Amino acid sequence: MSASHPSTSERSERRRREVCEAACRVIVRNGLETTTMRDISREGGFTTGVLTHYFPDKHAVIAGAFQAASDDWFDELRRRLGAAGTPAEQLVAI
């Protein structure tokens, strides 16, 4: 598939990522306990049906959002460590 026509799996992954990002924003703003599926859907600009297509319930969305945030954090850490040369520079990068 060309970059101008992403595959179904690429579109699906992108949408899943958008859901996780919306969930993170809502959780930060409203708190974990008061965040609802409707809040996340509204934040992301999609229906609750889209949300439940990717995540069956609030707990699954939260787990997905935390996993995505964790993956981002580790990706950034690896990037910084890769750019650092000496062990001392790596420690500073961390």
Side-chain angles (χ1 to χ4, degrees):
M1 260 316 134
S2 70
S4 62
H5 299 295
S7 70
T8 301
S9 64
E10 290 169 332
R11 285 190 306 269
S12 180
E13 184 55 36
R14 184 175 30 217
R15 177 59 94 170
R16 187 177 178 82
R17 183 71 173 180
E18 290 169 357
V19 169
C20 289
E21 289 170 356
C24 284
R25 291 190 303 270
V26 174
I27 291 166
V28 167
R29 186 174 57 241
N30 296 354
L32 191 57
E33 292 299 319
T34 59
T35 292
T36 66
M37 297 283 273
R38 188 177 310 275
D39 293 335
I40 295 166
S41 296
R42 195 174 301 127
E43 177 72 23
F46 37 78
T47 65
T48 54
V50 167
L51 183 59
T52 58
H53 175 75
Y54 294 99
F55 299 97
D57 57 37
K58 175 182 164 179
H59 295 5
V61 177
I62 291 168
F66 285 157
Q67 183 65 54
S70 174
D71 290 347
D72 288 348
W73 189 86
F74 279 108
D75 288 346
E76 178 65 14
L77 179 60
R78 280 189 284 278
R79 187 191 66 74
R80 288 180 183 217
L81 287 174
T86 68
E89 290 170 336
Q90 290 177 349
L91 185 59
V92 169
I94 293 172

